[in-house]
Amino acid sequence: MPAVHALANPARFLRLARPLTPVLFWLGLALAVFGGWAGLTQTPPDYLQGDAVRIIYLHVPTAWLGMGGWTGLAIASLAYLVWRHPLARVAAQAIAMPGAVFAGLCLVTGSIWGRPTWGTWWQWDGRLTSMLLLFFVYLAYMALVRADNDRGGDGRIPAIFGIAGTVLLPIIRYSVVWWNTLHQGQSIGLTGSTIAMSILWPLFYTLAGFTLVFAAIVLMRMRALLAAAKAEARMRRKAAA
Amino acid sequence: MKLDPWPFVIAAYAIVAVAVAVLSLLSWRAMRRAECAVEESRRA
């Protein structure tokens, strides 16, 4: 925990973030491109779904980052409410846009996967509907942040919203267990997978790759927010002098 | 009738590639602009 507090110093954070941003981005991109290429060309088609299964290499990482993004946003929001670290507020705000994009991509890739597999683009079942709700919750969070900034708020209301939104995560996770859904049940868990390793292995590359790209994008957005705040503070000081 | 899955697979890959590229580019541009503004305000 002391290491987290030390990193909450913006100057110290920037010293670490500047060299880390390109490393995370290019390494992540290389892994994601390799995983995507391997998923398209190096794995056999599924016995039931055929080549449509190749969408898994995009759909799972985007779902993971859509949900993981909100987990990060909620942790940062909690850190902001408890310790009042401004960097935690910046982190939560920086996660929102990439989180929303990845949640949206999860819905789009799932829909595209559904058409040749289920015969429909969309179904109002538990998993799809709860993921759509998460996407809307991201949009609501971003609107709330903008409104809070406009009225000079201290960021507490978006932070509380960020924590409250976590209620959706177990609903998404267990929706395939609680309700009869068109979406398949859990096939990848911490203890193993029901998918053959000959099909599964490129997923590890795309998962790691997209996660690193996501982290790099969050760092870029945090650096932008910190720089904008610094420039504004400097202008205010000059105007007051 | 069974649909050919390849147009769907290619569409999914293309949409993800374009979305991630646009998001990365916009984030990088916002970061560069903001950091340049800090540099300019320091020099002014």
Side-chain angles (χ1 to χ4, degrees):
Chain A
M1 198 53 79
V4 175
H5 286 296
L7 269 179
N9 176 319
R12 206 169 291 160
F13 165 78
L14 284 173
R15 270 203 299 278
L16 191 71
R18 280 193 191 112
L20 208 56
T21 308
V23 173
L24 290 178
F25 183 78
W26 292 114
L27 180 64
L29 195 64
L31 287 172
V33 168
F34 174 74
W37 167 79
L40 282 176
T41 62
Q42 302 298 305
T43 56
D46 180 64
Y47 81 102
L48 206 59
Q49 296 187 29
D51 287 307
V53 77
R54 300 182 195 285
I55 298 174
I56 197 175
Y57 307 114
L58 305 173
H59 183 65
V60 172
T62 52
W64 149 253
L65 287 166
M67 292 172 69
W70 194 274
T71 308
L73 190 154
I75 291 169
S77 298
L78 186 67
Y80 177 66
L81 284 179
V82 174
W83 292 297
R84 289 297 165 137
H85 285 317
L87 205 57
R89 180 183 178 183
V90 168
Q93 293 181 8
I95 290 169
M97 176 59 90
V101 168
F102 276 89
L105 284 174
C106 168
L107 290 165
V108 170
T109 54
S111 179
I112 292 173
W113 195 359
R115 183 68 186 91
T117 312
W118 301 334
T120 180
W121 296 100
W122 183 261
Q123 184 73 35
W124 290 101
D125 80 354
R127 174 59 69 84
L128 278 68
T129 308
S130 54
M131 197 65 199
L132 181 66
L133 273 177
L134 179 67
F135 176 69
F136 287 141
V137 166
Y138 269 117
L139 299 186
Y141 175 83
M142 287 190 282
L144 204 54
V145 166
R146 180 168 282 196
D148 189 63
N149 288 343
D150 285 350
R151 69 172 186 89
D154 62 359
R156 261 189 309 174
I157 293 171
I160 291 167
F161 186 83
I163 295 166
T166 51
V167 75
L168 267 177
L169 300 179
I171 295 175
I172 298 171
R173 169 80 171 72
Y174 292 106
S175 56
V176 289
V177 179
W178 293 340
W179 299 295
N180 268 329
T181 67
L182 195 56
H183 195 283
Q184 69 182 64
Q186 188 186 329
S187 49
I188 304 167
L190 290 174
T191 50
S193 168
T194 55
I195 302 171
M197 197 46 85
S198 60
I199 286 181
L200 196 63
W201 69 269
L203 182 62
F204 300 119
Y205 288 93
T206 53
L207 259 176
F210 281 115
T211 304
L212 295 182
V213 169
F214 187 94
I217 291 170
V218 170
L219 286 184
M220 287 182 214
R221 300 185 82 85
M222 285 180 75
R223 286 171 60 181
L225 287 168
L226 286 171
K230 198 173 182 179
E232 196 185 318
R234 198 167 277 166
M235 274 169 62
R236 228 182 273 142
R237 270 202 307 273
K238 275 183 187 160
Chain B
M1 190 183 77
K2 207 169 177 203
L3 293 167
D4 176 10
W6 278 106
F8 296 93
V9 174
I10 291 164
Y13 274 72
I15 289 168
V16 170
V18 169
V20 173
V22 169
L23 177 67
S24 305
L25 198 67
L26 291 178
S27 303
W28 180 79
R29 206 173 62 173
M31 178 192 77
R32 289 294 302 146
R33 268 194 194 154
E35 290 184 343
C36 286
V38 171
E39 277 303 309
E40 275 170 26
S41 71
R42 186 180 294 161
R43 268 187 253 122

